[in-house]
Amino acid sequence: MFTYSRSIQKTLLLLATFLQSLAAFSQAPANYVWWNPAQHDFPVIEGQAWPNQLEHPYDRLPASAQQTVRKEVWNLSRQSAGLLIRFRASTDQVIIKYMVEGKHALPHMPATGVSGVDLYAVSSDGGYLWCAGKYTFGDTIQYSFTGLQPNDTYHPKGREYRLYLPLYNSVKWMQIGVPQGASFTPLPVRVDKPIVVYGTSIAQGACASRPGMAWPAIVGRKLDRPLINLGFSGNGRLEKEVVSLLAHIDAKLYILDCLPNLVASVGISPQEIKQRIIESVKILRQKRPTTSILLVEHAGYTEGLINPERRKLYQEVNALMREAFAQLKMESVEQLYLLPQSEINLSLDAMVDGTHPSDLGMQQYADAYEKRIRVILQEPIGTYTTMQPCTQSRDAKIYDWETRHRDILALTKTSPPEIIFIGNSITHYWAGQPEAPISRGKDSWNSLFASSKTQNLGYGWDRIENVLWRVYHEELDGYTANQVIILMGTNNLHLNSDREIVEGLKWLVQAIKIRQPKAAILLLGILPRRQEEQRISRLNEGIAQASGELNVTYAEPGRVLLTSEGKIDETLFTDGLHPNAEGYRKLAEKLSSPMKPAQQTGKRKK
């Protein structure tokens, strides 16, 4: 009886295993569709300043640099530190296959950082989601990201992914695969000006456990900006040949963080070190007279707390940096900043080997960088979500948010506007340039704005924090407008308190004033919407008070959309929120009066 039961149990176990394998096999996709980023018809590998001048598709320096930089720098430039690939996909699994040229791991750094990849997703509200992958390292390395939620509420076309490439290895080839039938869209490199980092092994990524944990990658996510990583392990020495290459990049900010490779033990004299700092700044300033430059002190060694000789190395070189910085400032070099060791402030456990940061150290580096960079770029963040810039992709069925941002940047360069109207879908789908897929009030828009060059900076589903991101990312840069009109806040009603909305609008107006100091600002009260009339009326009182504190003009044209009982006039709306053609006509009539003073001032300026 015992033997028989055990036999049955064994048979049942084998049957169950077979059925599970069969089920898994039947659920697994029969085929994958593979994409090679290096063969795409437009640039998709971000983090390269010379995408059309490369010897190999995953290099960091142009082919011509092989003749000018030292051999060690050139070899390191072939490692893919800082490169990332963006794509949009609606799938529960993504497979990455690739081959590298060097050893998979280093004695003090794991294979997942040296040779691995790292995948992040972006939510429809602009937040980051980390994806855990199963990996195998062999001649061909494979990462399998499975169990992914293909979409969230607003992602019918699939969510955005960002793939960080290996930090300390050269990629020979790479393929990205998704199941056949899944949507997959390669995304072009972002057009925003990049932050350019010239540094050492620490900037390159040693000793992060995975590529997304290198401090430049963290800073790139924090600021949501492209970042070009020119960290060269052991060879970031402020060499003229490399700095001259940097000067050809139209950067948002240059970061020079090379002191760890310029300490006395390297054999470069103190006078030469100081001179290299000064010359590097002058080379950049000659080519880029207005681009900000951030010089960085040596962050120190954790064993420097107990080892006087090691402590002396970074203290000496930091003293040279401060001397060079003071001299440059006395020579009236503008837009030059310093990040001191005290602000980096690495903790006792922040390094793997006393020199290279662990993930904890990388985070501390990134926090210090973000704090200083936000001051330099005048991109502060506040307490409330309405004061924290982020992207969004909530209206993907009608338009693409990033594409509209690109279109507006291009249009402001070719046709600088006199009036800019910032808003959400209420503005977006009124009319004007750049054209939207929906236009509900072309005649009234033309009657209001025909006499001035006006651009519609409305984006469907935008909240205050999304507009703040757009203001921080060059939509108001490079031209001088006569007037800025702001109609924002209705999409924050279900998420934020009245105080948070008012404070967010104040934060936004201050950001606009910095970038358009000569423009008259017209802050509009939120338009009434069905079942929110009373709250919006109270909220607009707070917005009006804020306009007084900010010394900007306030108007509340939305009152023309109400009945005598204080409810919305349903005949003027398409859905209780968006005006129809007649509603827009009434708004245009009401707006003409508060807009006139700025328009007249603008005409006098001409």
Side-chain angles (χ1 to χ4, degrees):
M1 183 70 176
F2 175 79
T3 306
Y4 179 74
S5 298
R6 202 167 162 184
S7 176
I8 291 175
Q9 288 174 1
K10 186 176 181 180
T11 301
L12 290 173
L13 180 61
L14 289 171
L15 180 61
T17 303
F18 172 76
L19 290 173
Q20 288 175 355
S21 301
L22 184 63
F25 179 79
S26 63
Q27 292 172 4
N31 295 296
Y32 280 85
V33 177
W34 296 96
W35 172 64
N36 185 337
Q39 296 177 353
H40 203 68
D41 55 0
F42 55 77
V44 294
I45 302 171
E46 192 168 283
Q48 296 173 323
W50 304 272
N52 300 317
Q53 304 174 42
L54 302 174
E55 182 178 352
H56 303 97
Y58 296 98
D59 287 356
R60 291 184 288 154
L61 289 181
S64 59
Q66 189 172 7
Q67 308 303 319
T68 59
V69 302
R70 286 186 297 112
K71 180 180 178 181
E72 292 81 1
V73 173
W74 172 254
N75 290 339
L76 288 162
S77 77
R78 299 213 47 242
Q79 297 176 350
S80 55
L83 303 189
L84 68 85
I85 297 166
R86 300 187 312 131
F87 57 89
R88 185 176 290 119
S90 180
T91 178
D92 63 349
Q93 51 193 292
V94 177
I95 310 297
I96 316 295
K97 290 183 179 181
Y98 59 102
M99 185 177 289
V100 295
E101 294 185 1
K103 294 180 180 179
H104 288 163
L106 297 173
H108 60 327
M109 188 173 175
T112 50
V114 172
S115 306
V117 295
D118 210 359
L119 187 66
Y120 284 75
V122 182
S123 75
S124 59
D125 291 330
Y128 291 100
L129 309 166
W130 181 69
C131 307
K134 303 294 183 182
Y135 45 83
T136 57
F137 285 84
D139 289 340
T140 297
I141 301 173
Q142 178 169 314
Y143 270 71
S144 300
F145 300 92
T146 59
L148 305 173
Q149 184 178 354
N151 305 290
D152 61 19
T153 308
Y154 302 102
H155 271 111
K157 295 182 179 179
R159 63 173 78 251
E160 178 187 336
Y161 290 92
R162 298 181 183 181
L163 181 72
Y164 293 86
L165 302 193
L167 295 169
Y168 260 74
N169 229 321
S170 303
V171 176
K172 285 185 173 181
W173 59 266
M174 174 174 286
Q175 289 184 325
I176 300 174
V178 297
Q180 193 170 33
S183 68
F184 183 89
T185 306
L187 296 176
V189 298
R190 288 172 288 177
V191 295
D192 307 88
K193 289 186 178 182
I195 294 171
V196 178
V197 178
Y198 178 25
T200 67
S201 56
I202 297 169
Q204 185 169 341
C207 287
S209 64
R210 48 188 175 84
M213 284 306 299
W215 75 253
I218 299 173
V219 168
R221 289 194 299 277
K222 282 174 169 286
L223 298 172
D224 202 15
R225 280 196 176 276
L227 190 144
I228 294 174
N229 185 332
L230 296 178
F232 303 116
S233 184
N235 288 274
R237 299 180 183 177
L238 293 180
E239 293 168 303
K240 181 179 180 180
E241 296 81 3
V242 179
V243 177
S244 297
L245 287 169
L246 265 63
H248 289 282
I249 306 171
D250 186 12
K252 188 73 174 179
L253 169 70
Y254 293 110
I255 297 174
L256 303 182
D257 189 355
C258 292
L259 291 195
N261 287 164
L262 289 170
V263 292
S265 60
V266 177
I268 302 174
S269 71
Q271 184 58 37
E272 174 67 15
I273 293 170
K274 181 178 175 180
Q275 192 60 32
R276 288 192 186 192
I277 297 169
I278 292 170
E279 287 185 357
S280 295
V281 171
K282 289 184 176 179
I283 289 170
L284 293 175
R285 187 52 73 237
Q286 182 177 12
K287 183 76 173 180
R288 303 289 176 182
T290 60
T291 305
S292 297
I293 301 170
L294 176 60
L295 301 177
V296 185
E297 288 188 3
H298 194 313
Y301 310 115
T302 46
E303 83 270 29
L305 298 174
I306 196 171
N307 186 326
E309 291 184 6
R310 294 281 279 172
R311 182 165 63 247
K312 183 180 178 183
L313 288 176
Y314 65 77
Q315 287 178 339
E316 287 178 343
V317 78
N318 283 345
L320 292 171
M321 173 64 84
R322 289 191 289 272
E323 290 175 14
F325 182 79
Q327 180 176 326
L328 288 163
K329 296 302 285 186
M330 285 190 292
E331 294 176 6
S332 300
V333 177
E334 300 295 331
Q335 296 294 100
L336 180 66
Y337 304 88
L338 179 68
L339 179 60
Q341 178 196 3
S342 59
E343 290 188 18
I344 302 173
N345 194 28
L346 297 181
S347 65
L348 183 65
D349 298 321
M351 291 185 178
V352 170
D353 53 5
T355 300
H356 300 96
S358 62
D359 287 352
L360 172 62
M362 290 293 186
Q363 188 66 60
Q364 291 173 355
Y365 258 104
D367 290 344
Y369 267 109
E370 181 196 15
K371 184 178 180 181
R372 179 50 59 101
I373 292 171
R374 287 198 177 280
V375 173
I376 295 170
L377 300 185
Q378 297 182 302
E379 297 180 4
I381 56 174
T383 305
Y384 306 127
T385 59
T386 54
M387 304 154 75
Q388 298 169 4
C390 62
T391 61
Q392 61 98 345
S393 55
R394 291 183 288 269
D395 207 2
K397 289 182 180 179
I398 300 177
Y399 81 105
D400 183 83
W401 197 89
E402 183 177 318
T403 299
R404 184 164 177 82
H405 175 60
R406 288 172 177 269
D407 290 346
I408 284 174
L409 292 182
L411 189 59
T412 55
K413 287 180 180 179
T414 58
S415 181
E418 298 167 349
I419 299 175
I420 48 182
F421 198 149
I422 293 174
N424 46 50
S425 56
I426 296 171
T427 303
H428 188 178
Y429 303 137
W430 190 342
Q433 295 292 324
E435 289 187 5
I438 298 172
S439 179
R440 295 191 175 107
K442 191 171 292 186
D443 291 344
S444 57
W445 177 278
N446 290 338
S447 70
L448 188 61
F449 298 113
S451 61
S452 300
K453 193 182 292 184
T454 303
Q455 285 184 11
N456 184 331
L457 269 62
Y459 286 51
W461 275 99
D462 254 15
R463 299 172 188 153
I464 297 168
E465 55 267 32
N466 307 132
V467 177
L468 185 63
W469 186 98
R470 297 197 276 119
V471 170
Y472 283 178
H473 287 251
E474 286 93 54
E475 288 193 7
L476 303 188
D477 294 358
Y479 61 93
T480 301
N482 296 330
Q483 186 172 47
V484 180
I485 305 170
I486 306 166
L487 176 58
M488 277 304 302
T490 194
N491 290 326
N492 291 91
L493 289 173
H494 67 296
L495 294 171
N496 299 103
S497 67
D498 290 2
R499 177 182 177 85
E500 291 169 344
I501 292 171
V502 171
E503 291 301 315
L505 287 171
K506 288 165 67 175
W507 202 265
L508 175 62
V509 170
Q510 295 286 20
I512 292 171
K513 281 186 169 185
I514 289 170
R515 289 154 180 84
Q516 289 289 340
K518 296 182 179 180
I521 296 178
L522 174 57
L523 179 60
L524 303 181
I526 298 173
L527 299 190
R529 58 188 292 175
R530 185 185 296 145
Q531 298 179 349
E532 294 278 6
E533 294 93 341
Q534 288 186 354
R535 180 189 174 186
I536 290 174
S537 178
R538 293 193 302 270
L539 177 55
N540 283 343
E541 291 176 3
I543 297 174
Q545 181 177 338
S547 70
E549 297 170 12
L550 295 163
N551 192 28
V552 299
T553 303
Y554 175 78
E556 200 171 332
R559 291 186 179 185
V560 299
L561 306 177
L562 294 169
T563 65
S564 57
E565 288 79 26
K567 298 293 185 181
I568 65 166
D569 184 342
E570 296 282 357
T571 66
L572 302 176
F573 289 83
T574 62
D575 54 5
L577 170 63
H578 298 91
N580 57 23
E582 179 61 17
Y584 280 122
R585 187 188 65 77
K586 286 183 173 291
L587 286 174
E589 290 177 354
K590 198 68 176 177
L591 273 173
S592 61
S593 180
M595 283 179 58
K596 278 181 181 178
Q599 289 178 328
Q600 291 168 354
T601 302
K603 288 177 182 177
R604 286 197 298 270
K605 286 179 185 176
K606 296 175 188 177

